[in-house]
Amino acid sequence: MRITALAGGVGGARFLRGLLQHLHTRDDGPHTLTVIGNTGDDITLFGLRVCPDLDTLLYTLGGGVHEGQGWGRADESFVVQGELAAYGATPQWFGLGDRDFGTHIVRSQWLGQGVPLSGVVERLATRWGLPEQGVTLLPMTDTPVETHVVVEENGEQRAIHFQEWWVRHQASLPAQRFVVAGMNQAAAAPGVLDAIRGADLVLLPPSNPVVSIGIILSVPGVRDALRGTQAPVVGVSPLVGGAPVRGHADACLSAIGVPVTPDGVAGLYADFLDGWLVDKADEAAMADSRLAVRAVPLLMTDVDAAAEMASAAVELGLSLRK
């Protein structure tokens, strides 16, 4: 199978790690996985280009992630960040570890030399052993884009970077809307549209539907490719019992006027979605859906649990092949 997935950060990365474990146990291989990663979270800090979602995918699939956090590097130290704080350098609300700095430094160096982001990601993925696992990681676009959140404070609206809203404020400031700077000039990165059109199965992991998958869908051509692909498109609900397992998906959905329900999330993908994996606690709420719905436990308590989820998504997709 040629599987293509659209993914954001922690939830997407953990699901895809489980998917790889599942694929390695199948006897109908070989299988390839192309991951289209969200770059709307990208931000420049201390003069370095930081790509949080892409790095979480790299570290998780490459075996170097901090398991407790789900992001950042394992066995991390923070000497450099401490020195920056001593100099009064800001911001300090976004923690960058010493090992993590190495990624940001080399990425910024290569970008400065004129290497497109897709070329940089290819080099980073090689360092993390993704090709040996049959994984190709693609940024959604080579164009620098950044998601901003319009918030209201003291009766006035202002836009702040998504990371400031998400990390510093923990999404506590009510979001009025999301704006992606640079998207009007963006084009899909090389290979992105072909990966969707040529897939045997397209998966939407349980990433944030608004600021992860939703941002990827806003890249010109991506949504059209999903509508036109012959592959079944299967999504995994990011909600369990009508609430996000982690993160602030509820705040994001409320900001765009979408109900915080599996059916509400599925509606964001209504023009191309074929199958929908939901938690057993939400099965009754999807009883009248036009989609092919399957209910399974959706808590990724460990890699094996994530592999079981991925297996259910793959089997649902195979049952829907056109």
Side-chain angles (χ1 to χ4, degrees):
M1 278 185 293
R2 293 165 299 177
I3 300 176
T4 296
L6 281 59
V10 178
R14 286 179 169 172
F15 174 85
L16 293 172
R17 183 173 58 180
L19 174 64
L20 288 178
Q21 176 168 302
H22 166 65
L23 293 177
H24 292 157
T25 66
R26 297 180 68 96
D27 57 7
D28 57 351
H31 308 291
T32 61
L33 171 62
T34 300
V35 182
I36 301 167
N38 170 45
T39 62
D41 286 11
D42 293 6
I43 187 172
T44 297
L45 298 168
F46 309 114
L48 302 175
R49 194 62 174 164
V50 180
C51 302
D53 279 4
L54 292 178
D55 291 345
T56 296
L57 289 162
L58 285 168
Y59 298 158
T60 303
L61 300 182
V65 76
H66 186 300
E67 289 292 344
Q69 295 176 161
W71 49 270
R73 293 285 299 277
D75 302 317
E76 190 59 281
S77 56
F78 294 87
V79 176
V80 173
Q81 182 105 22
E83 285 298 303
L84 290 168
Y87 284 116
T90 58
Q92 286 295 319
W93 46 261
F94 197 103
L96 297 174
D98 299 327
R99 295 174 184 268
D100 201 25
F101 262 114
T103 301
H104 309 320
I105 291 169
V106 74
R107 173 170 42 234
S108 301
Q109 181 182 50
W110 287 334
L111 289 171
Q113 293 169 349
V115 181
L117 181 59
S118 53
V120 172
V121 171
E122 183 178 11
R123 296 181 185 185
L124 295 174
T126 298
R127 177 261 189 266
W128 285 102
L130 269 60
E132 289 89 338
Q133 300 183 64
V135 178
T136 299
L137 177 60
L138 303 174
M140 66 185 194
T141 180
D142 280 336
T143 306
V145 297
E146 294 186 1
T147 302
H148 288 76
V149 187
V150 177
V151 300
E152 185 170 327
E153 285 186 298
N154 302 319
E156 295 186 358
Q157 289 191 351
R158 65 186 182 98
I160 60 176
H161 194 284
F162 169 78
Q163 294 295 349
E164 182 175 357
W165 181 72
W166 189 264
V167 177
R168 183 181 186 183
H169 296 288
Q170 295 291 299
S172 61
L173 298 177
Q176 305 296 310
R177 63 186 184 277
F178 300 97
V179 179
V180 187
M183 188 60 80
N184 60 332
Q185 300 176 333
V192 166
L193 301 183
D194 288 341
I196 296 171
R197 294 170 181 146
D200 297 310
L201 173 63
V202 176
L203 296 175
L204 306 182
S207 298
N208 190 298
V210 180
V211 293
S212 290
I213 292 179
I215 303 301
I216 301 173
L217 293 177
S218 66
V219 175
V222 168
R223 200 164 202 122
D224 285 341
L226 286 163
R227 292 190 192 106
T229 185
Q230 292 299 303
V233 181
V234 174
V236 182
S237 171
L239 306 176
V240 173
V245 177
R246 62 178 295 146
H248 314 293
D250 48 351
C252 297
L253 289 165
S254 297
I256 64 171
V258 172
V260 186
T261 64
D263 190 50
V265 176
L268 295 173
Y269 314 138
D271 51 329
F272 58 79
L273 190 65
D274 300 304
W276 193 226
L277 209 65
V278 302
D279 189 78
K280 287 185 174 295
D282 299 308
E283 184 175 12
M286 296 297 300
D288 298 327
S289 176
R290 64 164 186 83
L291 298 168
V293 177
R294 183 167 299 175
V296 298
L298 291 189
L299 288 177
M300 292 185 286
T301 52
D302 54 29
V303 178
D304 289 340
E308 288 294 324
M309 281 176 53
S311 173
V314 170
E315 293 307 319
L316 178 56
L318 292 177
S319 72
L320 296 173
R321 289 178 74 162
K322 303 164 185 177

